[in-house]
């Protein structure tokens, strides 16, 4: 590959060109603090919420220039040459360049003028900070007298408010050099959000382990008038102007250190940046923004990580933690090594990032903050086979967003509580499958009877009480998890239009269909199918806790909704997508644009709505109209003109976003549907078409080879077909992991045990899966001598043939050798 390659063990992606077609990034995070970083040091950091608690500046559109970021400027005092150790922002071509994105860390190595630098960035396991471990080596035969300048640009606070009112928000800045901690500290005087203004409880900090020979906090006076970090005055003029206090203007963190290196000598030091709660509001000294308790905590952190050995020990612990999370569970071995690499390492890593932060901390868009309800449901379901405790924690959190009437808050923030904007109508159908998957994985059906509070529309104080409640005995305003799920689905079943299909409201899964139901009449065929699937699953859960009559009622509801779908939405060769407020049937064959949509076809299979000849016809139609070189398009044809009946998806350029892109999330729904239909060849090939490390042209694809994109630009775009867009934070990651492990390789959790039902491409004659399950370990060898796409002939467990394809009898702590013969 022109821009880089995977390491031999697949746990690093090594970028060898500092300017790939897009910034290729990594997420360094624990569950409280996150640093997003590109191959050249670009990016931003945040604490708990990427909108409300942003530390570093990162403006919309900056991904095109990949600035600002976390930089180390170096100046040779003798030769007066200057450069940036991460290539950005000065962009001087290095003699050599290597950026290694790993699990929980990123290392950037460059060589300029005989000075080799190595910057390793990571976020500790628990502390709310990031650490840069820096190594500088003199490769020349002459002594070197260097100045090094760690640099960041502060935002501090609400990113959206900064975009709208930057001229006001920077007036809140107070940044200063604190001599007690030998560090730069700072904060905004107040938090000005959408709802209220309150004192800012946070303190940011920036420090190094080398002696400080100078510092700057004021952006303009340090960089120079009409200059940016790409041509700062303090480098070009060779004069460093101290500014120990910044008040009411754009602020930076800039430290000056001196470093003398003998020929062949290497020296190491540390830079630490982060944020903490102030803990008190006491005025101390001549700067009324210094807080003794917070400063003491900062000093404790700085003392810890200024110790180079301690910083290195923590880095190794971070690496071991991530390796255990990623490598210590489900493993696959197939004839396709690209498939193995993405499934064994990178999609699991991406799935953790999605579970920690949902869809908010993007490199590409406005980063709305918080975590989404439906997104978190799917991510929690997808990770259950590798981290069931995380899934359980997420289930309890998500269930606390359900109200007594069955509606749900669309998400939550750890700083401001439940979201209060209009939710998409599909939120209610997602938690039930997540709970079912958790129980299938763990056998813990008791979770259904755990009492969880219902959400009350309340302010932050009430939310703090609810979100910290761990569950337990029944109390007023609480119900069992089963009752929460029942209320969810009852609401959607009752919230229907004149045809009896669920209302689409502001939008369903497809955010771009945001005008079809604004008069509260438009109906969604896809949502009806998703509801059928969840009702059937809820019936299974009811049977687990001996609620037989409820199980029958849920199955009756599913049958009623299935009947309506088949009566109203079948269009002769496929299912239509929905009906607008005015009764316009979109996704129907008579339409010029948007005549066939992907999701109703895949979910007709996922839900069991389609049977017999209809199933065959919709598969043929999907293959004919939607499948292409880079995967399944969301629909066909694309819209070329705005259609006010449907909404913003018709405004996008053809083939982009929701206007007929290859939307990878939806494409993966179809991969699972193809497996259910026994189409192993098609399922595998459709997965390969969107797999990031299987692209044949990265000048075209542009985005990271190790993280799934939200979409690839679709076939009707005039010149960008196949380009990746909006990587990392997408439900594609989770559904691809499930599709690969549970459907193609066919190793699925089941209420009764471990079910094995592969759906393979016919060229795979054998493959292997290592799978922990309920305390036992299973080493599964799948043999496919005749190239079958579907069908298990026999299964042997420790040499003994079992009846059927569910392994029921096993003991925790034991390892079982499983041989599966297809045919």
């Amino acid at each position: 590959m022109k821009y880089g390659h995977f390491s031999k063990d697949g746990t690093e992606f090594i970028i060898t060109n500092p300017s790939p077609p897009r910034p290729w990034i990594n997420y360094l995070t624990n569950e409280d603090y996150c640093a997003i970083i590109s191959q050249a040091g670009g990016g931003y950091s945040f604490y708990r919420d990427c909108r409300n608690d942003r530390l570093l500046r990162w403006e919309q559109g900056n991904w095109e220039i990949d600035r600002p970021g976390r930089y180390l400027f170096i100046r040779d005092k003798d030769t007066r040459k200057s450069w940036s150790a991460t290539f950005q922002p000065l962009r001087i071509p290095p003699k050599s360049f290597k950026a290694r994105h790993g699990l929980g860390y990123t290392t950037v190595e460059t060589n300029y003028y005989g000075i080799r630098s190595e910057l390793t960035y990571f976020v500790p396991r628990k502390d709310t900070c990031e650490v840069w471990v820096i190594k500088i080596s003199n490769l020349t035969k002459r002594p070197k007298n260097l100045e090094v300048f760690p640099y960041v640009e502060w935002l501090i606070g609400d990113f959206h408010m900064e975009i709208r009112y930057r001229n006001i928000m920077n007036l809140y800045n107070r940044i200063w050099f604190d001599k007690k901690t030998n560090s730069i500290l700072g904060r905004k005087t107040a938090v000005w959000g959408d709802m209220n203004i309150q004192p800012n409880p946070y303190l940011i900090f920036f420090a190094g382990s080398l002696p400080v020979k100078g510092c700057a906090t004021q952006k303009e006076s340090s960089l120079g008038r009409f200059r940016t970090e790409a041509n700062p005055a303090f480098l070009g003029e060779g004069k460093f102007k101290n500014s120990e206090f910044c008040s009411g203007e754009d602020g930076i963190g800039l430290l000056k250190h001196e470093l003398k290196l003998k020929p062949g000598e290497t020296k190491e030091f540390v830079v630490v940046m982060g944020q903490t709660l102030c803990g008190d509001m006491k005025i101390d000294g001549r700067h009324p923004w210094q807080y003794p308790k917070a400063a003491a905590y900062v000093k404790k952190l700085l003392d810890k990580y200024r110790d180079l050995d301690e910083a290195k020990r923590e880095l190794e612990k971070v690496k071991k933690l991530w390796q255990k999370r990623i490598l210590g569970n489900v493993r696959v071995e197939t004839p396709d090594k690209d498939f193995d690499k993405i499934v064994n390492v990178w999609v699991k890593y991406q799935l953790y990032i999605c579970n920690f932060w949902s869809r908010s901390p993007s490199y590409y868009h406005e980063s709305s903050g918080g975590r989404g309800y439906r997104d978190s449901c799917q991510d929690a379901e997808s990770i259950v086979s590798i981290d069931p405790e995380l899934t359980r924690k997420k289930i309890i959190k998500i269930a606390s967003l359900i109200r007594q009437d069955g509606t749900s808050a669309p998400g939550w923030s750890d700083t401001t509580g439940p979201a209060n904007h209009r939710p998409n109508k599909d939120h209610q159908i997602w938690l039930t499958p997540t709970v079912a998957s958790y129980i299938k994985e763990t056998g813990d059906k008791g979770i259904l009877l755990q009492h969880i509070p219902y959400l009350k529309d309340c302010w932050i104080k009430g939310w703090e009480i609810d979100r910290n409640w761990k569950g337990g005995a029944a109390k007023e305003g609480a119900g069992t998890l089963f009752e929460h799920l029942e209320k969810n689905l009852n609401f959607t079943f009752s919230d229907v239009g004149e045809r009896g299909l669920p209302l689409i409201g502001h939008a369903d899964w497809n955010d771009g269909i945001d005008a079809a139901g604004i008069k509260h009449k438009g109906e969604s065929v896809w949502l009806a199918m998703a509801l059928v699937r969840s009702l059937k699953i809820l019936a299974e859960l009811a049977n687990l806790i001996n609620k037989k009559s409820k199980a029958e009622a849920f199955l009756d509801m599913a049958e009623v909704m299935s009947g309506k779908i088949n009566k109203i939405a079948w269009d002769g060769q496929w299912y239509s997508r929905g009906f607008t407020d005015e009764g316009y049937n979109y996704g129907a064959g008579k339409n010029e644009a948007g005549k066939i949509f992907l999701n109703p076809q895949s979910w007709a299979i996922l839900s069991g709505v389609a049977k017999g000849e209809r199933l065959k016809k919709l598969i043929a139609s999907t293959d004919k109209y939607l499948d292409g070189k880079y995967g399944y398009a969301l629909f066909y044809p694309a819209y070329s003109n705005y259609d006010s009946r449907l909404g913003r998806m018709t405004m996008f350029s053809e083939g982009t976003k929701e206007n007929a892109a290859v939307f990878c999330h939806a494409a993966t729904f179809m991969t699972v549907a193809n497996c259910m239909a026994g189409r192993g060849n098609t399922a595998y090939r459709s997965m390969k078409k969107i797999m990031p490390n299987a692209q044949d042209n990265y000048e075209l694809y542009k985005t990271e080879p190790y993280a799934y994109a939200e979409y690839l630009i679709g076939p009707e775009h005039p010149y960008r077909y196949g380009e990746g867009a909006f990587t990392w934070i997408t439900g594609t990651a989770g559904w691809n992991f499930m599709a690969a492990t549970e459907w193609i390789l066919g190793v699925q959790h089941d209420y009764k045990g471990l079910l094995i039902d592969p759906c393979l491409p016919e060229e795979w004659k054998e493959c292997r899966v290592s799978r922990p399950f309920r305390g036992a370990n299973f080493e599964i060898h799948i043999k496919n001598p005749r190239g079958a796409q579907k069908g298990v002939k026999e299964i042997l467990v420790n040499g003994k043939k079992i009846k059927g394809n569910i392994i029921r009898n096993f003991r925790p702590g034991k390892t079982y050798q499983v041989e599966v013969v297809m045919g």
Side-chain angles (χ1 to χ4, degrees):
M1 187 187 299
K2 180 179 178 181
Y3 297 101
H5 56 87
F6 289 96
S7 62
K8 187 175 181 179
D9 66 359
T11 62
E12 289 185 337
F13 190 85
I14 303 166
I15 301 165
T16 54
N17 185 325
S19 299
R22 293 279 186 271
W24 288 359
I25 67 171
N26 198 4
Y27 283 74
L28 314 176
T29 187
N30 52 41
E31 292 188 73
D32 287 316
Y33 186 96
C34 184
I36 306 175
I37 185 167
S38 77
Q39 80 290 339
Y44 63 88
S45 303
F46 64 91
Y47 169 72
R48 298 185 74 189
D49 189 292
C50 66
R51 170 186 168 176
N52 301 304
D53 298 323
R54 189 77 67 91
L55 276 72
L56 300 184
R57 184 174 303 287
W58 185 255
E59 298 176 5
Q60 288 174 276
N62 272 17
W63 57 270
E64 294 177 339
I65 59 170
D66 196 26
R67 296 201 317 262
R70 308 161 188 81
Y71 301 129
L72 182 73
F73 297 104
I74 302 177
R75 182 174 182 271
D76 188 321
K77 293 178 69 175
D78 297 324
T79 65
R80 298 185 180 181
K81 290 180 178 179
S82 300
W83 62 95
S84 42
T86 52
F87 177 67
Q88 284 276 25
L90 299 186
R91 297 181 61 84
I92 298 169
K95 182 178 180 180
S96 65
F97 176 90
K98 186 183 293 182
R100 295 184 286 118
H101 285 321
L103 307 178
Y105 66 95
T106 286
T107 299
V108 183
E109 304 172 21
T110 56
N111 184 341
Y112 286 95
Y113 313 115
I115 300 297
R116 182 182 181 275
S117 60
E118 179 181 303
L119 282 70
T120 297
Y121 302 88
F122 73 96
V123 169
R125 294 164 299 160
K126 296 181 180 179
D127 294 320
T128 57
C129 64
E130 62 191 79
V131 181
W132 315 354
V133 177
I134 302 168
K135 182 189 296 185
I136 309 290
S137 300
N138 179 6
L139 305 182
T140 75
K141 296 181 180 180
R142 295 182 178 180
K144 288 292 181 179
N145 189 14
L146 305 177
E147 295 174 328
V148 295
F149 304 92
Y151 172 91
V152 294
E153 181 176 349
W154 302 116
L155 186 146
I156 313 177
D158 191 312
F159 175 58
H160 285 200
M161 299 302 291
E162 192 81 16
I163 293 173
R164 293 159 62 187
Y165 306 112
R166 181 167 175 180
N167 62 317
I168 298 296
M169 299 304 290
N170 64 9
L171 301 180
Y172 296 3
N173 286 343
R174 305 293 192 275
I175 303 160
W176 65 97
F177 183 75
D178 178 64
K179 294 181 180 179
K180 292 181 180 179
T181 58
N182 213 29
S183 65
I184 292 174
L185 303 180
R187 63 188 298 269
K188 273 184 165 56
T189 53
V191 177
W192 181 19
D194 289 337
M195 294 186 294
N196 56 23
I197 300 175
Q198 57 184 329
N200 181 13
Y202 301 119
L203 187 71
I204 55 95
F205 51 89
F206 185 65
S209 61
L210 293 176
V212 177
K213 300 298 183 179
C215 70
T217 60
Q218 300 166 15
K219 180 181 176 181
E220 183 179 6
S221 66
S222 300
L223 300 187
R225 190 173 297 172
F226 308 122
R227 290 175 178 252
T228 70
E229 65 275 2
N231 59 344
F234 68 86
L235 284 180
E237 298 172 2
K239 297 179 181 179
F240 187 90
K241 181 181 179 181
N242 277 333
S243 56
E244 293 190 5
F245 186 49
C246 170
S247 181
E249 61 177 304
D250 283 346
I252 60 172
L254 177 61
L255 297 170
K256 178 182 177 181
H257 306 299
E258 293 181 353
L259 203 60
K260 296 182 184 294
L261 293 173
K262 299 175 184 177
E265 186 179 13
T266 295
K267 289 187 177 180
E268 296 179 85
F269 61 100
V270 176
V271 173
V272 188
M273 184 188 82
Q275 178 168 298
T276 183
L277 285 167
C278 289
D280 58 59
M281 304 297 288
K282 181 180 177 182
I283 295 175
D284 179 33
R286 71 183 175 89
H287 299 313
W289 305 283
Q290 296 186 10
Y291 298 90
K293 290 182 182 178
Y297 176 74
V298 169
K299 185 177 185 304
K300 182 179 178 181
L301 269 183
L302 295 181
D303 288 346
K304 178 179 180 181
Y305 292 116
R306 276 173 168 154
D307 182 330
L308 180 63
D309 291 336
E310 178 60 31
K312 286 183 173 182
R313 281 193 292 269
E314 181 63 22
L315 172 60
E316 291 306 310
K317 290 175 182 177
V318 167
K319 290 180 178 180
K320 287 179 180 178
L321 172 63
W322 278 107
Q323 290 210 345
K324 181 180 178 181
R325 284 170 170 166
I326 304 304
L327 305 180
N329 42 66
V330 179
R331 299 280 295 175
V332 308
E333 183 181 340
T334 75
D336 185 342
K337 300 312 172 189
D338 287 338
F339 182 96
D340 296 352
K341 201 169 292 176
I342 206 73
V343 173
N344 287 334
V345 182
W346 289 95
V347 75
K348 288 193 279 187
Y349 187 49
Q350 185 175 357
L351 185 48
Y352 264 103
I353 302 306
C354 291
N355 266 276
F356 285 173
W357 301 110
S358 193
R359 306 296 175 264
S360 290
S362 175
Y363 221 63
Y364 297 99
H365 61 62
E366 73 282 359
S367 298
S368 57
R371 296 160 175 84
Y373 183 103
R374 59 180 177 170
D375 305 324
S376 297
C377 287
Q378 293 172 80
D379 294 338
E381 178 182 5
S382 304
I383 207 168
V384 70
S385 64
I386 60 179
D387 197 337
E389 283 304 309
L390 179 56
T391 300
R392 192 183 199 284
K393 183 172 71 172
K394 295 293 284 293
I395 286 171
I396 302 303
K397 173 75 76 175
I398 295 163
S400 71
L401 299 173
I402 299 172
R403 303 182 183 92
Q404 289 265 19
D405 64 358
T407 61
S408 307
W412 79 97
S413 164
D414 279 345
T415 58
T416 59
N420 58 10
H421 58 275
R422 291 180 297 174
N424 288 28
K425 285 287 189 176
D426 65 311
H427 282 74
Q428 283 70 230
I429 60 93
W430 289 111
L431 185 56
T432 297
T434 303
V435 173
S437 287
Y438 169 77
I439 295 172
K440 289 177 181 179
E441 183 68 31
T442 63
D444 177 21
K445 64 182 181 180
I447 192 174
L448 291 168
L449 302 177
Q450 179 169 339
H451 283 81
I452 299 168
Y454 291 109
L455 176 67
K456 296 180 180 179
D457 290 321
C458 55
W459 298 97
I460 293 175
K461 184 177 180 181
W463 167 250
E464 290 292 336
I465 294 171
D466 279 352
R467 79 180 180 91
N468 289 322
W469 188 60
K470 303 299 182 182
K475 69 174 188 177
E476 185 179 356
T480 65
L481 175 59
F482 179 82
E483 289 167 344
H484 281 64
L485 302 179
E486 182 180 13
K487 290 178 184 295
N488 254 181
L489 299 189
N490 279 338
F491 171 80
T492 302
F493 186 81
S494 302
D495 185 39
V496 295
E498 62 180 25
R499 298 168 188 81
L501 301 179
L503 294 172
I504 191 171
H506 176 61
D508 57 15
W509 175 91
N510 189 326
D511 297 352
I513 309 177
D514 57 355
I518 57 177
K519 298 177 183 177
H520 306 292
K521 295 180 180 179
E523 296 165 79
S524 171
V525 172
W526 169 81
L527 182 53
M529 293 172 173
L531 174 62
V532 169
R533 177 175 179 259
S534 290
L535 283 167
K536 290 178 178 179
I537 294 171
L538 189 59
E540 296 171 355
L541 298 180
N543 280 321
L544 286 180
I545 53 176
N546 297 315
K547 294 183 180 291
K548 306 297 183 184
S549 60
K550 284 190 178 292
E552 292 175 4
F554 297 141
L555 291 176
D556 288 343
M557 292 162 68
E559 188 64 28
V560 167
M561 190 59 67
S562 295
K564 291 177 180 177
I565 294 167
N566 277 306
K567 180 179 179 181
I568 297 165
W570 180 250
D571 195 52
Q573 300 297 318
W574 59 79
Y575 289 93
S576 66
R577 180 62 170 82
F579 300 85
T580 67
D581 288 323
E582 298 79 16
Y584 169 64
N585 184 199
Y586 55 101
K590 63 183 179 181
N591 302 327
E592 290 185 10
K595 71 178 183 179
I596 177 172
F597 279 68
L598 180 61
N599 275 4
Q601 317 325 316
S602 59
W603 282 75
I605 300 173
L606 294 177
S607 63
V609 166
K611 294 180 175 64
E613 286 301 312
R614 288 191 175 184
L615 177 60
K616 295 178 183 178
K617 287 181 178 180
L618 73 84
I619 286 175
S621 298
T622 301
D623 288 348
K624 178 179 179 180
Y625 291 106
L626 300 176
D627 197 9
K629 180 179 179 180
Y630 295 107
Y632 288 103
L634 195 55
F635 56 82
Y636 173 83
Y639 292 89
S640 297
N641 298 292
Y642 174 60
D643 189 334
S644 61
R645 296 170 298 183
L646 296 174
R648 74 170 189 242
M649 78 173 178
T650 65
M651 300 169 68
F652 297 128
S653 174
E654 296 93 334
T656 64
K657 200 70 170 157
E658 286 96 348
N659 190 9
V662 176
F663 219 86
C664 298
H665 197 181
T668 310
F669 295 156
M670 194 65 211
T671 297
V672 175
N674 276 320
C675 287
M676 294 179 71
R679 306 176 77 214
N681 289 340
T682 306
Y684 167 68
R685 287 166 191 161
S686 68
M687 173 173 278
K688 287 284 287 186
K689 289 175 181 179
I690 63 171
M691 191 178 292
N693 60 329
Q695 302 302 311
D696 58 4
N697 182 357
Y698 286 92
E699 292 294 343
L700 169 65
Y701 184 67
K702 290 185 171 61
T703 51
E704 296 96 332
Y706 47 89
Y708 277 97
E710 179 185 76
Y711 68 89
L712 279 66
I713 292 177
E716 295 176 85
H717 191 278
Y719 54 89
R720 296 170 68 192
Y721 179 35
E723 181 180 313
F726 294 13
T727 52
W728 282 94
I729 52 168
T730 166
T732 308
W735 272 83
N736 265 277
F737 182 69
M738 291 192 294
T741 58
E742 298 179 26
W743 294 99
I744 290 179
L745 292 168
V747 181
Q748 303 178 21
H749 44 224
D750 186 82
Y751 300 115
K752 298 176 182 178
L754 193 63
L755 185 152
I756 303 178
D757 186 19
C759 185
L760 301 180
E762 58 190 14
E763 64 265 27
W764 284 12
K765 303 306 181 186
E766 65 175 338
C767 49
R768 297 176 183 271
V769 181
S770 297
R771 174 70 152 87
F773 180 67
R774 299 187 190 175
N777 291 294
F778 294 85
E779 298 294 334
I780 303 164
H781 185 191
I782 301 170
K783 297 180 179 180
N784 189 22
R786 297 184 179 180
Q789 294 183 57
K790 188 80 169 177
V792 172
K793 183 179 180 181
E794 64 178 12
I795 297 177
L796 289 80
V797 179
N798 288 346
K800 295 182 180 180
K801 186 176 178 179
I802 66 168
K803 184 178 181 180
N805 64 343
I806 299 178
I807 304 172
R808 303 167 187 264
N809 300 314
F810 54 89
R811 293 170 59 187
K814 299 290 185 180
T815 296
Y816 295 86
Q817 302 296 325
V818 181
E819 183 177 314
V820 181
V821 181
M822 296 181 66

